[in-house]
């Protein structure tokens, strides 16, 4: 994805089973001005993950940690016309809702604390997001569901970073 003055490269994860993919991820991240690291909310701050990310974070100008899957099952869905519960395969269909603000804040602190425990003290911003809710909100044209995904918070911080020349170095990526 490219914006004026900014290129977003989605790489495979670190420690990939495929050495070529692992190398590609590391090559891009080593040259990045901003790292957006996607972590699973089921186990935020996992030491093995944060320790493999740490060397790259120390080289990056800014690090944004996106903690994905920050949603949960909510109440059963009702048909808006009849008011009756909706069933699929004999089971009530449940809504996906955002995790509570307290749960999200706890996840964000857990990730930052794990990095601090490993000795990292540089700039770090953690955001609990739900790509599922974001995509559902876009597909259904439902602003409330989209907002529950909290992706706007991540993009607001990213926009702040790329709009100010002092914030990022704007290096040109050169292979080799």
């Amino acid at each position: 994805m490219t914006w004026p003055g900014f290129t977003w490269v989605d790489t495979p994860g670190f420690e990939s089973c495929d050495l070529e993919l692992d190398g590609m991820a590391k090559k891009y991240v080593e040259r990045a001005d901003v790292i957006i690291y996607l972590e699973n909310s089921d186990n935020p701050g996992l030491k093995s993950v944060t320790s493999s990310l740490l060397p790259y974070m120390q080289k990056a100008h800014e690090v944004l940690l996106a903690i994905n899957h920050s949603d949960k099952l909510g109440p059963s869905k009702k048909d808006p016309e009849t008011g009756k519960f909706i069933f699929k395969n004999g089971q009530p269909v449940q809504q996906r809702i955002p995790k509570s603000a307290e749960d999200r804040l706890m996840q964000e602190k857990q990730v930052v604390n794990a990095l601090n425990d490993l000795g990292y003290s540089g700039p770090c911003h953690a955001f609990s997001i739900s790509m599922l809710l974001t995509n559902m909100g876009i597909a259904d044209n439902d602003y409330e569901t989209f907002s529950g995904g909290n992706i706007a918070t991540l993009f607001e911080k990213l926009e702040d970073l790329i709009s100010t020349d002092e914030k990022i170095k704007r290096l040109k990526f050169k292979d080799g």
Side-chain angles (χ1 to χ4, degrees):
M1 176 172 71
T2 302
W3 292 340
F6 182 81
T7 301
W8 178 310
V9 179
D10 184 7
T11 68
F14 294 121
E15 312 303 324
S16 174
C17 294
D18 183 323
L19 293 177
E20 185 177 336
L21 293 177
D22 185 60
M24 181 184 73
K26 290 176 180 175
K27 181 169 69 173
Y28 276 99
V29 169
E30 285 174 1
R31 294 171 174 88
D33 292 317
V34 178
I35 296 172
I36 302 173
Y37 182 75
L38 189 62
E39 183 158 345
N40 192 322
S41 74
D42 292 339
N43 201 358
L46 188 64
K47 296 280 188 230
S48 63
V49 175
T50 52
S51 62
S52 65
L53 179 62
L54 189 62
Y56 303 101
M57 291 178 67
Q58 292 168 332
K59 293 178 185 178
H61 189 77
E62 290 282 345
V63 177
L64 306 177
L65 294 162
I67 306 163
N68 196 17
H69 304 291
S70 291
D71 54 72
K72 62 183 181 177
L73 287 174
S76 297
K77 287 186 178 184
K78 289 185 177 183
D79 185 303
E81 293 178 18
T82 66
K84 294 181 180 182
F85 288 109
I86 301 171
F87 287 83
K88 184 175 184 179
N89 299 326
Q91 298 293 319
V93 175
Q94 290 182 281
Q95 298 175 19
R96 294 302 295 190
I97 60 173
K99 288 184 178 177
S100 70
E102 295 82 19
D103 285 347
R104 286 179 172 207
L105 183 58
M106 181 193 67
Q107 291 176 164
E108 293 164 3
K109 286 182 178 180
Q110 191 174 349
V111 169
V112 173
N113 288 341
L115 291 166
N116 291 336
D117 289 347
L118 291 169
Y120 182 73
S121 60
C124 179
H125 310 278
F127 305 92
S128 288
I129 64 169
S130 170
M131 289 307 300
L132 176 65
L133 292 176
T134 300
N135 288 332
M136 287 170 55
I138 292 169
D140 298 339
N141 198 24
D142 180 347
Y143 182 74
E144 186 176 339
T145 301
F146 174 81
S147 295
N150 202 36
I151 196 74
T153 305
L154 174 65
F155 278 95
E156 286 167 7
K157 182 60 180 175
L158 188 56
E159 183 179 37
D160 177 52
L161 291 174
I162 65 173
S163 66
T164 310
D165 283 337
E166 310 88 58
K167 297 271 184 161
I168 61 175
K169 297 172 263 174
R170 299 186 188 277
L171 297 175
K172 297 284 184 191
F173 178 78
K174 293 181 181 165
D175 197 11

